[in-house]
C-alpha cells in the first residue's frame, strides 16, 4: 500500500505548472498567462478525483501534453489552453458549452475535435477509424487538433508501461498505423521517430533491448570515427568563416530494426548506422548558396556517390522538409551520409508545421508550402468522401507515405502528385469531370494509356471522350485519394441506379405473383439468391444477372426459407461463437496447443509464428482464429481497426508439436556442401525438412529450406549449427512473405 502525502502532491502540481509557464514565457503576450492559469485551474478542478494508472494525479497528464506542445512542437497559447483542457469533456462532467463559455469558440472547437465519439458502433465499423475520421474533419478548421492529439499520444506512449499488456499492444498498434505516419507527413520527425521506437519497445521488447544495448556498446568507436571524419571539414569551414555546428546522429532503433529485418542482416552489417549533420547559421538570402558551398567543401575531402545526392532545398518535400543530402566515401572505405542544412531548415525538420508557420513570414519565398497544399488536399478529400471510416483511413494512410512527383500541365503549370501517380490521377487532379471522361493522355507529346506512370518533369495533356465512364479496374492504378474517392463515388452512383432499376423490376414481378414487397419478402429473396445485402440483390436484378423468371421460381420454394433475420449476419454470429468459446474457459487467453479441441485456430501464413514468438489471436469470419506474430506486417492494421476481434494468446508450455518455418542460407559453393547441410538438419538434429530450393550463381549459393521446428530455442540451436558448416556464410529465418 502506497500512502500519498497530499501536501507534497499539491506542491509537486504547482511546481510542474510553474515549469510549464517558464517554458511558455518567451512567447506570452499580455493576458496570456492569465488564461493559461484559468485553464490549469479548470482542468485541476475537473480531474481532481482522478488518477492515472501510474497512481499519479491525473493533472500531470494534461500538464505534460501542454509541455510537449510547447517544447517539441512549438505551439503557442491557444494550444497550451487546449492541451490543458483536452480530456475534460471526455472524462469529466464539464461540457463543450462550458469550455466555449469560458475559453471561447476557438478552444472549444479544438477540444471538440479531440473528444472521442461515444456510443455503439455498427458491425464492421471501427471505433478507432470513426474517431480518427472525426479528428481529421476538424483539420479544415484547425490543424492544432492533430498536433495536440499527437502530443497526447506521445505522452500516452511514453507512459505505456503502466498499462496492461493487451492494452499496450492495441495502443502501440494504433500509434504505428496512424499516428507515426501522420507525424511523418506533418514533418514532425523527432516525434515520429520516438513513436516508432516506442512501438518496437512494446511489440518486440527483446529485439528493442538488444539493439539499444548494441548502440550504447558501439558508441565510443563510432564517436572516434565521426571525429576523425569531420576534422578536416571543420577546419575548412572555419577557414571560410562560416558559422556552423556539426553533429553525428545515430539512426533510430526502429529504423535499424527495420533495416535488419528487410535486408535480413545482423546489427553489425547495418552500414549507415549514423549520419553527419552540418547545421549552418545563415542569412535567409544566402541559405542556398551557403549549403552548396559546404557541399563543395565536403566533397573536396571525400568522394560523393552521385546516385545518392538529394536536393530538397531547391524542391522541398511535401511536408516542408528542406535539406541537402549526400553520401560520401570515408577513408576507411565506409559510406557516410552527410546532411547539410541551415538552422531554420533544421528546426522545420524537427518541429514541422509549427516551426514552418513561424518562419513563413520572413522566409523570403512567397510560394505556399507543400504542407499547406497537403492540408487543403486533405480538406477536399474529407468534404467529398462518403466512404466508410475504415475505407477512409486506409485511403488517407496510403497517401501519407508517398513522396511526390512534379509534373506540368500543357500551359506549364506545376502539379504535385504522390509518387506512383498515373495519367488518370493527373486527370482527376485537374478536374473531376476530366478524370471521369479520361480516355488516355499525351505525356511529352507521346500517346499513353490511362495507367501510365508519371515521372518528374513530365508534361501531361489529358484526352477525354464523352462516352467514357469510370470502371472498377481504374481503382487498381490510381494512387491519389481524390481520384480514388471520385471513382468510388461514380461506381456507387452507378450501382445505386442499377439497384433502383432492379427494385422496380422486383416490384413488378412480385405484383404479378401476388406477393407484397415488404421487408420480410425482400429478406427472403436475398437469402434465396444468397446475396450479402438487399442492395446486392437489387443490383444484380438491375444488371440482369438475376433474371425475372428466377424470381418466379422463388415463390415455389418460399416456404422452406428460414424466417430468422438474424441468421444472415454470419460474420457476427460465427466470431461471437469463437470468442465465447475462449471466454467459457474462465480466462480470455487462448492457450495455443491446449485449446485445439475447444477452439478452431490456425497459424497465420503471413508471418508463420512458431512457439516463443509473441503472438495474438485474430477472429476471422470463416477460418476460426488466426494466430499472428505481434510483429506481423499485417498486425498494426488488424489491431487498430478490428480491436474487437483480437483475442489474447500465448503458447502453452507443454507443446510438442512441430511448426513450419523457412530458413535462408547463403554461402560459397563447394562440393558436398548441400550434403553437409542436410546431414545436420535431418541426421544430427533429427528435424524434418519439407522442402529445399538451392540456386548457385558464380560460386555463391543461396538456399531456402522449409522445415519443422519446435520453438524459437530449437530454431536458434539449428541456425548456430548450420552457421558452423564450412562454406556457409549466413543463415537467417525468413519471417515474412514478400
Ligand atoms: Mn489525454
Amino acid at each position: 500500500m502506497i500512502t500519498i502525502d497530499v501536501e507534497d502532491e499539491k506542491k509537486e502540481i504547482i511546481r510542474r505548472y510553474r515549469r510549464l509557464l517558464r517554458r511558455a514565457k518567451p512567447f506570452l503576450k499580455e493576458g496570456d498567462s492569465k488564461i493559461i492559469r484559468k485553464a490549469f485551474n479548470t482542468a485541476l478542478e475537473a480531474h481532481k478525483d482522478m488518477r492515472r494508472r501510474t497512481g499519479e494525479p491525473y493533472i500531470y497528464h494534461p500538464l505534460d501534453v501542454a509541455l510537449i506542445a510547447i517544447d517539441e512542437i512549438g505551439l503557442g497559447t491557444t494550444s497550451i489552453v487546449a492541451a490543458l483542457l483536452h480530456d475534460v469533456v471526455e472524462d469529466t462532467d464539464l461540457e463543450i458549452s462550458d469550455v466555449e463559455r469560458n475559453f471561447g469558440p476557438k478552444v472549444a472547437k479544438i477540444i471538440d475535435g479531440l473528444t472521442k465519439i461515444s456510443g455503439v458502433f455498427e458491425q464492421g465499423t471501427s471505433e478507432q477509424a470513426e474517431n480518427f475520421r472525426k479528428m481529421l474533419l476538424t483539420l479544415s478548421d484547425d490543424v492544432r487538433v492533430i498536433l495536440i492529439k499527437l502530443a497526447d499520444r506521445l505522452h500516452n506512449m511514453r507512459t505505456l508501461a503502466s498499462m496492461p499488456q493487451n492494452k499496450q499492444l492495441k495502443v502501440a498498434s494504433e500509434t504505428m498505423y496512424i499516428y507515426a505516419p501522420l507525424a511523418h507527413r506533418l514533418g514532425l520527425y523527432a516525434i515520429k521517430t520516438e513513436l516508432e521506437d516506442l512501438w518496437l519497445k512494446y511489440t518486440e521488447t527483446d529485439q528493442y533491448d538488444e539493439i539499444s544495448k548494441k548502440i550504447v556498446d558501439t558508441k565510443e568507436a563510432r564517436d572516434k570515427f565521426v571525429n576523425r571524419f569531420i576534422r578536416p571539414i571543420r577546419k575548412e569551414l572555419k577557414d571560410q568563416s562560416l558559422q556552423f555546428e556539426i553533429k553525428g546522429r545515430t539512426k533510430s532503433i526502429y529504423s535499424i530494426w527495420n533495416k535488419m529485418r528487410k535486408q535480413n542482416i545482423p546489427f553489425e552489417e547495418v552500414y549507415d548506422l549514423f549520419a553527419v549533420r552540418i547545421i549552418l547559421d545563415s542569412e535567409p538570402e544566402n541559405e542556398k548558396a551557403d549549403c552548396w558551398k559546404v557541399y563543395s567543401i565536403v566533397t573536396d575531402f571525400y568522394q560523393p556517390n552521385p546516385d545518392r545526392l538529394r536536393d530538397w532545398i531547391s524542391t522541398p518535400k511535401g511536408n516542408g522538409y528542406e535539406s541537402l543530402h549526400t553520401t560520401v566515401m570515408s577513408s576507411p572505405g565506409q559510406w557516410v551520409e552527410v546532411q547539410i542544412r541551415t538552422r531554420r531548415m533544421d528546426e522545420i525538420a524537427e518541429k514541422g508545421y509549427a516551426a514552418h508557420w513561424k518562419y513563413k513570414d520572413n522566409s523570403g519565398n512567397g510560394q505556399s508550402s507543400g504542407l499547406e497544399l497537403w492540408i487543403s488536399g486533405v480538406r477536399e478529400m474529407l468534404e467529398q468522401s462518403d466512404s466508410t471510416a475504415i475505407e477512409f483511413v486506409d485511403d488517407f494512410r496510403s497517401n501519407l507515405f508517398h513522396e511526390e512527383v512534379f509534373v506540368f500541365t500543357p500551359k506549364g503549370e506545376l502539379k504535385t502528385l504522390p509518387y506512383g501517380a498515373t495519367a488518370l490521377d493527373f486527370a482527376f487532379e485537374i478536374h473531376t469531370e476530366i478524370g471521369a471522361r479520361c480516355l488516355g493522355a499525351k505525356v511529352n507529346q507521346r500517346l499513353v494509356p490511362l495507367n501510365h506512370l508519371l515521372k518528374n518533369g513530365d508534361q501531361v495533356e489529358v484526352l477525354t471522350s464523352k462516352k467514357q465512364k469510370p470502371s472498377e479496374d481504374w481503382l487498381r492504378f490510381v494512387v491519389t485519394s481524390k481520384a480514388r474517392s471520385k471513382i468510388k463515388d461514380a461506381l456507387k452512383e452507378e450501382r445505386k441506379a442499377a439497384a433502383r432499376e432492379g427494385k422496380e423490376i422486383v416490384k413488378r414481378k412480385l405484383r404479378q405473383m401476388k406477393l407484397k414487397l415488404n421487408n420480410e419478402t425482400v429478406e427472403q429473396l436475398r437469402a434465396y439468391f444468397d446475396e450479402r445485402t438487399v442492395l446486392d440483390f437489387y443490383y444484380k436484378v438491375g444488371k440482369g444477372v438475376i433474371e425475372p423468371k428466377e424470381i418466379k421460381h422463388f415463390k415455389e420454394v418460399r416456404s422452406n426459407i428460414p424466417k430468422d433475420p438474424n441468421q444472415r449476419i454470419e460474420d457476427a454470429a460465427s466470431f461471437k461463437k469463437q470468442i465465447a468459446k475462449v471466454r467459457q474457459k474462465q480466462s480470455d487467453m487462448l492457450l495455443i496447443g491446449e485449446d485445439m479441441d475447444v477452439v478452431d485456430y490456425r497459424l497465420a501464413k503471413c508471418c508463420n509464428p512458431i512457439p516463443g514468438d509473441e503472438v495474438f489471436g485474430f477472429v476471422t469470419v470463416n477460418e476460426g482464429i488466426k494466430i499472428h506474430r505481434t510483429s506481423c506486417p499485417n498486425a498494426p492494421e488488424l489491431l487498430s481497426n478490428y480491436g474487437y476481434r483480437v483475442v489474447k494468446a500465448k503458447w502453452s508450455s507443454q507443446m510438442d508439436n512441430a511448426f513450419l518455418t523457412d530458413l535462408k542460407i547463403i554461402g560459397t559453393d563447394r562440393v558436398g556442401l548441400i550434403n553437409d547441410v542436410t546431414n545436420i538438419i535431418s541426421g544430427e538434429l533429427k528435424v524434418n525438412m519439407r522442402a529445399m530450393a538451392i540456386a548457385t550463381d558464380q560460386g555463391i549459393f543461396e538456399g531456402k529450406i522449409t522445415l519443422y521446428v519446435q520453438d524459437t530455442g530449437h530454431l536458434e540451436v539449428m541456425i548456430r549449427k548450420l552457421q558452423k558448416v564450412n562454406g556457409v556464410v549466413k543463415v537467417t529465418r525468413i519471417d515474412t512473405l514478400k
Side-chain angles (χ1 to χ4, degrees):
M1 169 107 192
I2 311 159
T3 46
I4 295 160
D5 186 326
V6 180
E7 281 311 307
D8 276 1
E9 220 167 63
K10 268 189 193 152
K11 275 186 209 147
E12 176 62 18
I13 291 172
I14 296 302
R15 203 183 60 79
R16 288 180 185 224
Y17 168 65
R18 292 218 176 101
R19 177 179 61 182
L20 180 74
L21 274 188
R22 262 197 318 278
R23 300 286 173 83
K25 206 169 174 201
F27 58 79
L28 289 186
K29 289 192 286 293
E30 206 177 313
D32 281 1
S33 60
K34 217 168 142 191
I35 182 105
I36 293 173
R37 187 166 68 225
K38 189 169 156 195
F40 166 69
N41 283 328
T42 307
L44 184 63
E45 175 63 22
H47 293 297
K48 73 168 182 279
D49 298 322
M50 296 166 63
R51 288 188 179 269
R52 296 212 96 206
R53 255 177 193 280
T54 50
E56 294 177 325
Y58 195 88
I59 191 73
Y60 289 4
H61 169 64
L63 278 169
D64 279 341
V65 173
L67 202 59
I68 292 172
I70 301 174
D71 282 353
E72 293 170 63
I73 310 184
L75 294 170
T77 303
T78 309
S79 304
I80 296 172
V81 170
L84 286 170
L85 297 170
H86 83 270
D87 276 333
V88 297
V89 174
E90 191 171 311
D91 297 339
T92 79
D93 294 337
L94 281 186
E95 306 217 353
I96 206 74
S97 55
D98 301 321
V99 175
E100 175 152 8
R101 200 170 49 248
N102 288 310
F103 299 95
K106 234 193 240 167
V107 173
K109 194 117 203 198
I110 297 176
I111 305 287
D112 190 39
L114 290 165
T115 305
K116 283 190 203 138
I117 304 172
S118 58
V120 191
F121 288 85
E122 276 176 62
Q123 191 63 59
T125 64
S126 153
E127 187 175 340
Q128 176 60 24
E130 288 290 351
N131 280 320
F132 184 69
R133 179 175 174 163
K134 180 189 173 216
M135 183 176 79
L136 283 180
L137 277 167
T138 55
L139 186 77
S140 49
D141 302 315
D142 208 324
V143 72
R144 285 176 291 198
V145 174
I146 308 268
L147 297 173
I148 295 167
K149 185 73 205 173
L150 279 171
D152 181 31
R153 179 52 63 130
L154 180 60
H155 187 247
N156 286 335
M157 284 297 283
R158 282 176 181 170
T159 51
L160 200 57
S162 54
M163 285 285 177
Q165 195 241 343
N166 63 326
K167 196 90 194 269
Q168 286 177 351
L169 217 51
K170 182 173 161 34
V171 173
S173 296
E174 265 171 34
T175 301
M176 199 56 177
Y177 187 62
I178 285 292
Y179 294 100
L182 193 59
H184 176 80
R185 197 59 183 84
L186 289 166
L188 295 158
Y189 284 102
I191 291 182
K192 171 217 168 207
T193 304
E194 190 175 343
L195 290 177
E196 287 171 343
D197 278 359
L198 287 165
W199 171 81
L200 188 65
K201 184 173 167 185
Y202 288 98
T203 50
E204 289 283 358
T205 311
D206 291 349
Q207 297 189 37
Y208 175 89
D209 290 344
E210 198 180 315
I211 295 170
S212 5
K213 186 172 177 298
K214 283 186 173 164
I215 291 177
V216 174
D217 290 349
T218 52
K219 183 172 185 305
E220 204 176 315
R222 200 166 45 243
D223 285 351
K224 226 184 234 166
F225 176 89
V226 170
N227 282 334
R228 199 168 344 122
F229 177 85
I230 61 183
R231 198 172 301 137
I233 300 173
R234 192 187 287 278
K235 183 175 179 300
E236 186 61 28
L237 290 175
K238 266 192 191 143
D239 290 350
Q240 304 227 11
S241 50
L242 286 156
Q243 297 293 316
F244 64 93
E245 186 189 344
I246 303 189
K247 305 185 208 172
R249 297 191 45 105
T250 315
K251 244 185 187 340
S252 76
I253 299 174
Y254 168 79
S255 46
I256 294 172
W257 174 81
N258 204 21
K259 190 145 206 172
M260 287 165 61
R261 196 182 52 144
K262 272 197 184 145
Q263 304 185 357
N264 242 319
I265 50 174
F267 178 88
E268 290 69 26
E269 281 173 34
V270 179
Y271 76 89
D272 52 351
L273 265 182
F274 63 94
V276 168
R277 184 175 297 168
I278 304 174
I279 300 163
L280 290 163
D281 292 307
S282 183
E283 292 302 317
E285 60 274 20
N286 298 333
E287 284 191 316
K288 194 170 168 181
D290 284 350
C291 288
W292 283 103
K293 196 185 213 172
V294 174
Y295 172 84
S296 150
I297 291 169
V298 170
T299 52
D300 277 348
F301 291 105
Y302 304 107
Q303 191 62 35
N305 179 341
D307 294 336
R308 300 288 298 271
L309 175 66
R310 300 284 179 273
D311 173 13
W312 286 303
I313 291 181
S314 311
T315 327
K317 280 193 192 180
N319 61 13
Y321 184 84
E322 292 171 72
S323 194
L324 187 61
H325 292 192
T326 176
T327 300
V328 299
M329 182 56 84
S330 64
S331 25
Q334 192 185 345
W335 289 109
V336 175
E337 180 177 292
V338 182
Q339 306 171 347
I340 304 161
R341 54 174 78 155
T342 63
R343 182 84 47 203
R344 176 188 68 80
M345 297 172 188
D346 192 51
E347 199 170 331
I348 287 173
E350 298 290 329
K351 290 188 181 170
Y353 182 83
H356 212 279
W357 202 50
K358 171 177 147 195
Y359 282 109
K360 207 174 82 175
D361 298 333
N362 48 20
S363 69
N365 54 12
Q367 52 185 306
S368 65
S369 75
L371 186 71
E372 276 156 61
L373 283 176
W374 177 71
I375 288 172
S376 74
V378 172
R379 193 177 307 162
E380 227 173 87
M381 181 171 97
L382 288 160
E383 281 159 6
Q384 294 161 350
S385 165
D386 68 338
S387 50
T388 69
I390 291 183
E391 238 180 328
F392 168 81
V393 170
D394 262 359
D395 278 359
F396 178 79
R397 213 178 147 265
S398 64
N399 260 14
L400 286 175
F401 287 111
H402 290 134
E403 300 291 338
E404 290 96 357
V405 285
F406 302 94
V407 294
F408 297 94
T409 66
K411 286 185 179 156
E413 196 190 330
L414 179 73
K415 294 278 174 195
T416 311
L417 291 165
Y419 180 80
T422 56
L424 189 58
D425 281 304
F426 178 86
F428 274 102
E429 185 62 32
I430 301 289
H431 194 277
T432 306
E433 269 310 293
I434 294 186
R437 305 266 169 260
C438 181
L439 204 60
K442 272 184 176 172
V443 169
N444 307 328
Q445 312 299 333
R446 207 165 50 84
L447 210 59
V448 299
L450 292 172
N451 61 358
H452 179 83
L453 224 55
L454 298 177
K455 287 193 304 291
N456 271 331
D458 279 349
Q459 191 161 36
V460 190
E461 183 187 346
V462 179
L463 307 171
T464 58
S465 154
K466 279 210 175 94
K467 285 185 194 140
Q468 179 72 306
K469 61 178 189 188
S471 72
E472 191 107 27
D473 66 305
W474 283 17
L475 290 171
R476 286 190 294 115
F477 52 77
V478 292
V479 298
T480 55
S481 48
K482 185 174 183 182
R484 288 193 78 80
S485 72
K486 286 297 172 193
I487 294 168
K488 280 184 191 167
D489 286 352
L491 293 173
K492 267 184 205 155
E493 202 30 67
E494 198 195 315
R495 214 177 148 73
K496 273 189 210 154
R500 268 198 298 275
E501 208 172 302
K503 190 171 178 180
E504 283 309 310
I505 295 172
V506 172
K507 227 193 239 170
R508 273 204 305 276
K509 201 71 207 165
L510 288 179
R511 210 181 301 135
Q512 286 170 17
M513 297 178 342
K514 309 247 178 326
L515 284 177
K516 253 201 202 118
L517 180 83
N518 58 22
N519 282 346
E520 195 190 348
T521 321
V522 169
E523 188 48 47
Q524 286 171 346
L525 276 163
R526 183 207 60 75
Y528 174 70
F529 288 102
D530 203 20
E531 292 300 329
R532 213 167 46 82
T533 66
V534 172
L535 195 73
D536 288 342
F537 165 67
Y538 283 148
Y539 172 74
K540 286 206 176 152
V541 176
K543 279 275 172 188
V545 180
I546 295 173
E547 290 183 51
K549 64 169 187 258
E550 294 177 70
I551 299 179
K552 211 171 145 195
H553 183 61
F554 151 77
K555 195 183 173 183
E556 296 152 26
V557 285
R558 187 178 177 224
S559 50
N560 301 329
I561 294 171
K563 294 209 166 159
D564 180 8
N566 288 328
Q567 271 201 352
R568 76 192 180 91
I569 315 170
E570 294 172 333
D571 298 23
S574 75
F575 64 70
K576 267 186 199 143
K577 241 188 288 166
Q578 290 290 348
I579 289 175
K581 276 188 199 158
V582 180
R583 301 259 147 85
Q584 242 174 35
K585 317 188 299 79
Q586 310 297 328
S587 91
D588 54 356
M589 175 77 83
L590 174 65
L591 267 181
I592 307 164
E594 284 184 348
D595 296 341
M596 205 67 167
D597 46 339
V598 193
V599 181
D600 174 23
Y601 69 78
R602 273 160 233 204
L603 303 175
K605 291 211 178 67
C606 45
C607 54
N608 272 327
I610 65 173
D613 287 333
E614 284 187 44
V615 289
F616 65 92
F618 185 77
V619 183
T620 66
V621 177
N622 296 318
E623 298 178 276
I625 296 176
K626 283 259 169 89
I627 307 297
H628 292 264
R629 296 168 68 178
T630 55
S631 58
C632 171
N634 296 319
E637 189 188 346
L638 298 179
L639 288 163
S640 60
N641 277 341
Y642 305 97
Y644 59 97
R645 292 183 169 192
V646 171
V647 180
K648 274 191 276 178
K650 72 171 189 208
W651 303 95
S652 104
S653 46
Q654 317 121 322
M655 298 246 345
D656 50 13
N657 280 335
F659 291 81
L660 265 187
T661 192
D662 289 333
L663 283 186
K664 184 170 154 190
I665 302 189
I666 296 176
T668 47
D669 199 15
R670 67 169 170 85
V671 180
L673 181 81
I674 295 174
N675 204 21
D676 288 353
V677 167
T678 51
N679 269 346
I680 289 205
I681 295 173
S682 45
E684 200 174 324
L685 291 163
K686 306 251 179 305
V687 170
N688 259 332
M689 194 160 45
R690 203 174 72 166
M692 177 151 150
I694 301 247
T696 56
D697 180 27
Q698 299 178 2
I700 301 291
F701 94 65
E702 211 184 300
K704 190 183 129 183
I705 304 178
T706 308
L707 36 78
Y708 288 99
V709 295
Q710 274 140 29
D711 53 33
T712 44
H714 186 200
L715 183 64
E716 265 164 39
V717 171
M718 186 143 47
I719 290 177
R720 230 174 297 132
K721 289 226 168 172
L722 286 172
Q723 238 146 6
K724 286 197 186 126
V725 173
N726 186 12
V728 169
V729 176
K730 198 163 77 175
V731 183
T732 41
R733 173 178 177 192
I734 306 175
D735 62 358
T736 50
L737 295 177
K738 277 175 206 138

